[in-house]
Amino acid sequence: MSRVSIFFYAAAFFAATALADVSYIHAGRVLADPANGRVLTNQTIVVRDGRVAELREGFVDGPGRVIDLRKKFVLPGLIDSHVHLCHENGPHDRMNRVTLTAADWAIQGARFAATTLRAGFTTVANLGDENDAIFALRDGIERGDVPGPRIIAAGHVLSPHGGDGDVHDYRPDVEVTIRRENLCSGADDCRRLVRNQIQRGADIIKIVATGSVLADVAQGVGLQFTDAELQAIVETAHGMGRRVTAHAHSTEGVNAALRAGVDSIEHGTFLDAESIELFKANGAYLVPTLLAGATVTEWANDPNGFLSAPARAKALDVGPKMLDAGRRAHAAGLKIAFGTDASVARHGTNAREFSLLVQAGLTPLQSIRAATVGAADHLGVSQRVGSLAPGKAADIVAVDGDPLTAIGELERIRFVMKGGVVYVDPRN
């Protein structure tokens, strides 16, 4: 299906659903609440005004639309806790930074948002894109202007001057032109930046506590913020009702961010025994992004790949270790939320993360929990999404087979409903 037809297909269903605000979904098998793991059979999910009204035993109908999923396995809409919808990494990254506008990024984001929704992900946390682009996309989706997942948006990532979120390896006059308002130095300056970002519309605060793999600079993946800066960021964000998540690879970066009180760690590649104790003491989540690790490893091993020399060296060091970090975290009983870092891996391939989580030791059910009830708790949206319970958003997906025995089924989504609106229908 072409990109244009995807949009009009979703728009047509939006219009049709608006006329019929009650739907009766006949579900052959349904995992309504992944927390308890019970698979119900022969159920009717009654959807009214975009929300789950009730689950009834047997196949019943009434005044409204009947959706036949009697031969499908039904579960709540999936949640990806780490995406970047406005771009995909590739060989043109450096040029794109100096040629594309916020409007260009938003248009790209609309395309990737539709792709992500059709893959079954009805809620995402977008952890780093240009402010105007991602906030406009978030709000446009919420209004129903364009199809896409529900977005919890960070906007700009917060970085120290010269850190991972700064601009590197351009002429100084070009760097000044494209540098974002996302940099701080010193505790007071970091407090100011958090306040400014929330004022601009951030739902969550994302910081780069350490260097990253794909930055075109040979500064490694070590700690970048001071303890005082980290503490100021977390205190300010929490005081204004926002969670804080930290990109962190190195042991010292992971542990410093956890000691400062961040709510979650993205990646966590070199976590150690102290990290595990800090995670547990804080009740923090790990978002292991195993798909990103697998992807950068593939890129680094491609002799014709596009990575710069510094990025390739870091990818070869970090990428292969991420699966083992996920394995150690799970074995230690840490809370894990599903997240892919999509934009590294292609948008729409998010569900590949499930198989990697299973390789890291999670059962298929545990991996589904990470992408439903776990991710909803991690992002503070459990009252709205994560399970099919009365009053929650009618975010519903379905597959042909049983993902509890074959987790790869989630890579082949056959039905997608978000907020009572159907975007993928097996009858078409």
Side-chain angles (χ1 to χ4, degrees):
M1 182 177 290
S2 72
R3 296 166 183 166
V4 173
S5 62
I6 286 173
F7 176 82
F8 286 106
Y9 180 71
F13 269 110
F14 180 86
T17 306
L19 296 175
D21 60 0
V22 180
S23 297
Y24 297 84
I25 300 174
H26 293 172
R29 291 169 294 169
V30 56
L31 180 63
D33 184 0
N36 63 37
R38 291 177 55 210
V39 178
L40 307 175
T41 58
N42 298 341
Q43 299 286 307
T44 297
I45 306 169
V46 182
V47 174
R48 183 175 292 110
D49 296 327
R51 297 183 179 276
V52 175
E54 59 180 316
L55 271 71
R56 298 182 189 173
E57 290 189 10
F59 298 138
V60 299
D61 48 298
R65 180 177 55 174
V66 175
I67 299 174
D68 182 5
L69 299 180
R70 287 176 293 177
K71 295 182 179 180
K72 306 298 181 185
F73 190 105
V74 177
L75 59 162
L78 305 173
I79 303 170
D80 191 328
S81 300
H82 189 148
V83 303
H84 303 273
L85 285 177
C86 290
H87 71 286
E88 282 187 345
N89 290 98
H92 304 296
D93 286 348
R94 284 179 53 78
M95 183 61 69
N96 287 342
R97 293 187 195 110
V98 295
T99 57
L100 298 185
T101 67
D104 294 321
W105 295 119
I107 291 296
Q108 282 195 159
R111 172 162 58 92
F112 294 137
T115 299
T116 301
L117 179 60
R118 288 181 58 81
F121 290 84
T122 53
T123 300
V124 300
N126 199 93
L127 300 183
D129 271 314
E130 203 281 335
N131 272 349
D132 288 341
I134 192 58
F135 295 154
L137 180 61
R138 174 197 63 191
D139 296 346
I141 290 171
E142 184 67 21
R143 289 191 302 266
D145 296 341
V146 293
R150 187 177 295 101
I151 296 175
I152 298 162
H156 293 158
V157 299
L158 275 57
S159 167
H161 289 89
D164 180 68
D166 205 341
V167 180
H168 301 279
D169 207 26
Y170 292 89
R171 283 175 15 202
D173 57 325
V174 175
E175 290 182 357
V176 170
T177 302
I178 63 176
R179 183 170 283 123
R180 296 171 172 176
E181 298 176 359
N182 67 320
L183 308 174
C184 61
S185 293
D188 287 343
D189 194 31
C190 289
R191 290 183 191 276
R192 174 198 60 78
L193 185 58
V194 172
R195 292 170 180 146
N196 285 354
Q197 193 60 16
I198 293 172
Q199 190 274 332
R200 288 293 305 277
D203 303 308
I204 186 172
I205 297 298
K206 162 79 176 295
I207 64 173
V208 284
T210 73
S212 76
V213 169
L214 295 182
D216 291 328
V217 58
Q219 60 183 16
V221 291
L223 177 64
Q224 296 191 341
F225 279 108
T226 67
D227 289 347
E229 290 168 337
L230 288 169
Q231 185 173 357
I233 289 168
V234 173
E235 287 180 351
T236 305
H238 285 176
M240 300 182 75
R242 299 299 191 274
R243 283 170 161 77
V244 180
T245 191
H247 159 105
H249 285 292
S250 72
T251 304
E252 61 175 348
V254 169
N255 294 351
L258 288 169
R259 282 194 295 268
V262 300
D263 301 285
S264 55
I265 296 288
E266 312 293 323
H267 317 305
T269 307
F270 297 98
L271 58 84
D272 64 0
E274 181 184 0
S275 312
I276 289 169
E277 293 305 313
L278 288 167
F279 268 107
K280 292 180 176 180
N282 294 1
Y285 272 87
L286 173 67
V287 184
T289 64
L290 304 181
L291 182 54
T295 302
V296 299
T297 301
E298 292 171 4
W299 289 347
N301 286 315
D302 180 357
N304 299 312
F306 65 89
L307 293 182
S308 65
R312 176 174 285 106
K314 288 181 287 183
L316 288 171
D317 179 38
V318 173
K321 296 181 173 70
M322 293 177 72
L323 183 64
D324 182 63
R327 184 177 293 114
R328 289 184 286 118
H330 172 63
L334 299 192
K335 296 193 295 186
I336 291 176
F338 183 106
T340 62
D341 206 357
S343 81
V344 179
R346 303 284 75 84
H347 296 290
T349 68
N350 313 58
R352 291 174 57 201
E353 181 82 12
F354 286 108
S355 293
L356 292 167
L357 289 170
V358 170
Q359 288 182 42
L362 281 72
T363 66
L365 176 59
Q366 288 171 332
S367 73
I368 291 170
R369 285 174 178 157
T372 51
V373 290
D377 179 61
H378 156 53
L379 296 171
V381 291
S382 294
Q383 297 302 310
R384 300 175 61 195
V385 297
S387 63
L388 302 179
K392 291 192 178 183
D395 292 1
I396 301 169
V397 300
V399 293
D400 289 333
D402 184 351
L404 298 178
T405 57
I407 195 64
E409 286 292 320
L410 293 175
E411 297 179 38
R412 297 176 290 277
I413 296 291
R414 305 305 188 197
F415 174 84
V416 177
M417 171 183 279
K418 181 196 134 195
V421 180
V422 176
Y423 292 90
V424 177
D425 193 313
R427 300 169 298 181
N428 294 279

